[in-house]
Amino acid sequence: MSRGVRSGLFLVSAAGLTALLLWAVAGLPDFGHYRGPYGKVLNSVAVGERHTTNVVAAVVFDYRGIDTMGEEFILFASVMGVALLLRNPHRERRQVPARIQSDAVRLAGIGFAAGLLVLGLYVVAHGYLTPGGGFQGGVVLASAFVLVYLAGDYHAYRSLSPTPALDVVGATGAGGYTVVGIVSLLLGSAFLHNFGPLGATGKLASGGSIPFLNIASALEVSAAFVLLFSEFLDELVVRPEARSE
Amino acid sequence: MSYLPYALAVWILAVGLYGVVRSRNLIHLVVCLTVAQSSTYVLLLSIGYVNRGTAPIFADVPKGTRAVDPVVQALTLTDVVVSVTVAALLLALAIQAQRHADTTDPDELAEMHG
């Protein structure tokens, strides 16, 4: 099919799809007049029930905890898929010269990486109190590693993020989440049902099992992202293979 | 006017799909797919919005303050993670296509056999 024919076909069908979707959203409640009762109930009971001030985190790590477990394993499986697709043990590695020669850039990079690391830890630790959480903080933590690559070089990045250690961290995160769920079962409640002392509202030690799930997901997400970056950056240093044509 | 945010989501989806169809590069195609997927964030978040509602975080505001829906926000978080995983896998496939077919143009890939 030529590009012209394809574009024409697309424009006709996209116009139809857009019209149908606009018709569908016209049937939704007016913007700002949300009518779902579930969120309203959670907003009024979650703080009292779970002693966490961030209701979104309470939904993610408690009320819909099993959903988040699936989400974590999607990420886990995707990193595994990328590693499998990009693996190529037979290609030799070459030394890549450091791209950045400026000491000022390196120094600023190290400073920002350290700051990002602290910010990431803060976002993770306070995830169930203020905006943030294991997923958001995990991505911030992983980006600190990317900054090491950007301001430094590939070898500095790689020596900071050895793949075996990342594998262990990621597996601990994914496995730890499941273990918390199994502990709930052993305590006689439903899988991933909240347990443990709820603590004082608004303090770090609050929320029962929510902090554990929060930290487990932070481990999994940060390791998964650093692994993803490593897989793609490794493409830089492997020699292009001789083509067999 | 009150349906404008929903219409915006439909528009973003249409623009993203147009980019996918017209794409001449697999990396560009993945970015367009991400644009199309981001329409779902706009739709989810605008459905859960409550007039003059604050964020569903009661650290600084008293309990019982009118807040937007926390469930759709949690769903959006899931949505973002799924989007990232899909993008990562597709980019890895684009690298494979470059390795094996020496091209990232979807049209040229379609002409390949075996």
Side-chain angles (χ1 to χ4, degrees):
Chain A
M1 201 189 311
S2 79
R3 286 178 66 80
V5 175
R6 189 172 38 171
S7 297
L9 193 64
F10 170 77
L11 285 178
V12 172
S13 46
L17 177 71
T18 308
L20 281 176
L21 283 174
L22 287 176
W23 183 34
V25 297
L28 286 171
D30 276 12
F31 179 66
H33 294 80
Y34 180 64
R35 286 205 291 258
Y38 190 37
K40 214 171 264 178
V41 170
L42 282 176
N43 270 340
S44 54
V45 302
V47 179
E49 269 187 4
R50 300 298 192 242
H51 293 198
T52 53
T53 47
N54 182 346
V55 179
V56 181
V59 172
V60 169
F61 295 120
D62 190 340
Y63 296 106
R64 290 179 64 92
I66 199 158
D67 193 51
T68 309
M69 193 175 90
E71 186 181 340
E72 253 193 65
F73 279 94
I74 288 175
L75 191 58
F76 195 79
S78 147
V79 173
M80 218 145 47
V82 170
L84 281 173
L85 277 171
L86 293 183
R87 72 176 167 178
N88 202 334
H90 301 303
R91 293 195 296 173
E92 53 181 315
R93 288 167 181 256
R94 64 189 158 114
Q95 283 287 321
V96 276
R99 292 174 309 122
I100 304 216
Q101 306 293 345
S102 153
D103 286 337
V105 170
R106 284 179 187 226
L107 190 68
I110 292 169
F112 280 125
L116 262 184
L117 210 62
V118 174
L119 176 70
L121 290 174
Y122 172 84
V123 171
V124 170
H126 295 78
Y128 42 97
L129 305 176
T130 51
F135 282 91
Q136 297 89 329
V139 177
V140 176
L141 284 176
S143 54
F145 286 83
V146 182
L147 210 58
V148 171
Y149 165 73
L150 285 175
D153 63 4
Y154 172 81
H155 301 288
Y157 166 80
R158 217 61 181 95
S159 57
L160 266 180
S161 58
T163 304
L166 289 172
D167 287 346
V168 171
V169 173
T172 310
Y177 200 101
T178 322
V179 167
V180 172
I182 292 172
V183 170
S184 304
L185 279 181
L186 293 177
L187 289 173
S189 48
F191 187 69
L192 281 172
H193 191 275
N194 201 324
F195 62 85
L198 288 173
T201 306
K203 297 278 177 257
L204 268 185
S206 66
S209 57
I210 290 177
F212 298 105
L213 295 179
N214 185 42
I215 288 169
S217 64
L219 290 176
E220 154 68 7
V221 170
S222 49
F225 271 86
V226 178
L227 274 172
L228 277 182
F229 298 145
S230 301
E231 289 295 338
F232 284 108
L233 286 178
D234 279 353
E235 290 294 307
L236 281 178
V237 293
V238 287
R239 260 181 224 283
E241 59 199 318
R243 299 199 182 281
S244 54
E245 288 159 52
Chain B
M1 281 302 277
S2 64
Y3 296 101
L4 200 57
Y6 309 143
L8 176 70
V10 175
W11 168 246
I12 296 174
L13 178 71
V15 168
L17 287 179
Y18 177 75
V20 170
V21 171
R22 293 286 293 178
S23 181
R24 281 191 176 278
N25 184 302
L26 287 178
I27 310 282
H28 170 264
L29 194 149
V30 176
V31 174
C32 292
L33 189 69
T34 312
V35 170
Q37 184 153 21
S38 61
S39 68
T40 56
Y41 318 150
V42 176
L43 186 63
L44 275 173
L45 292 178
S46 52
I47 282 178
Y49 181 70
V50 175
N51 271 338
R52 286 184 298 283
T54 173
I57 291 162
F58 301 96
D60 297 326
V61 294
K63 231 175 88 178
T65 312
R66 184 204 291 244
V68 303
D69 187 78
V71 179
V72 288
Q73 299 209 350
L75 289 178
T76 309
L77 180 65
T78 310
D79 203 352
V80 172
V81 174
V82 171
S83 167
V84 167
T85 58
V86 170
L89 276 176
L90 288 177
L91 287 175
L93 286 172
I95 289 177
Q96 285 289 41
Q98 173 66 36
R99 264 189 205 163
H100 293 295
D102 212 8
T103 176
T104 50
D105 186 336
D107 290 341
E108 284 178 36
L109 278 175
E111 288 158 14
M112 294 247 319
H113 296 287

